[in-house]
Amino acid sequence: MRKLIVPLFTALLAVGAYIRIPLPPVPITLQTMFAAIMALTLTWKENLLSTLLWIFLGLIGLPIFTSGGGIAALTGPTAGYIWTIPIALTISSLIRGDKTSKALDIILLVFINLVIYAGGTFYLSYSREISFLAALSIGVLPFLIGDVIKMAVAFLVSPKIRTELAKINENE
């Protein structure tokens, strides 16, 4: 059963692109919420494999990103957000390890968002040829309130998912 975790969470990331509010150039989606849940529940290997599979499927053309699929999606204005998700999730799950602490979960949620915001903003600035502050104002500021809500949901849901994953591990 644990073998299904990687494709399941890859699918959740893909579905998260379709649950969105379109704001140019960066829409509001549930991908970051699913990424946060992954970081707080999966192992670093599961996170790395899920996110790399997600990027690979997008690279070969499946429309699983907010901007579709293919090379254009992985080099367009939102590419920095995409490329930093595997980094943020892998590092955060390595830091978390087997520890379960509400304080650590909150720190990791902030860390994940900062890494994704940083990568996304730097690349948005580069790809749009705008200042970092301009990229910050269109690629981060409009999303802060929504991301706080998404992180709160991830914070509340993750312990329940960890419990269920532990049960799966016991039964295997």
Side-chain angles (χ1 to χ4, degrees):
M1 187 70 158
R2 190 79 190 199
K3 295 179 276 192
L4 298 176
I5 296 300
V6 169
L8 171 65
F9 280 93
T10 300
L12 283 174
L13 282 174
V15 167
Y18 287 93
I19 305 170
R20 65 179 171 216
I21 299 170
L23 292 178
V26 182
I28 297 172
T29 73
L30 287 187
Q31 286 176 309
T32 52
M33 185 184 76
F34 291 134
I37 291 168
M38 292 167 66
L40 297 181
T41 58
L42 303 183
T43 68
W44 73 268
K45 288 179 185 177
E46 290 166 338
N47 275 318
L48 184 60
L49 290 172
S50 295
T51 55
L52 291 180
L53 178 59
W54 172 63
I55 289 173
F56 173 75
L57 292 172
L59 178 65
I60 63 171
L62 294 179
I64 59 174
F65 305 125
T66 58
S67 55
I71 300 282
L74 290 169
T75 57
T78 61
Y81 301 98
I82 294 168
W83 289 108
T84 53
I85 287 175
I87 296 165
L89 269 58
T90 303
I91 293 171
S92 62
S93 54
L94 279 168
I95 292 168
R96 182 180 47 81
D98 293 335
K99 297 180 283 289
T100 57
S101 155
K102 290 181 180 183
L104 180 59
D105 283 356
I106 292 169
I107 291 167
L108 292 175
L109 289 170
V110 171
F111 170 78
I112 293 160
N113 273 290
L114 289 177
V115 171
I116 294 170
Y117 282 154
T121 304
F122 279 113
Y123 192 79
L124 183 61
S125 172
Y126 166 77
S127 69
R128 286 284 179 104
E129 297 179 353
I130 58 176
S131 72
F132 182 80
L133 288 177
L136 195 65
S137 71
I138 61 173
V140 174
L141 295 180
F143 305 95
L144 290 175
I145 293 171
D147 282 344
V148 167
I149 293 167
K150 290 187 278 185
M151 295 309 111
V153 170
F155 179 79
L156 295 171
V157 169
S158 294
K160 293 170 181 39
I161 295 173
R162 280 195 296 259
T163 300
E164 292 304 314
L165 289 176
K167 288 178 187 175
I168 290 171
N169 285 342
E170 289 173 9
N171 292 330
E172 286 190 346

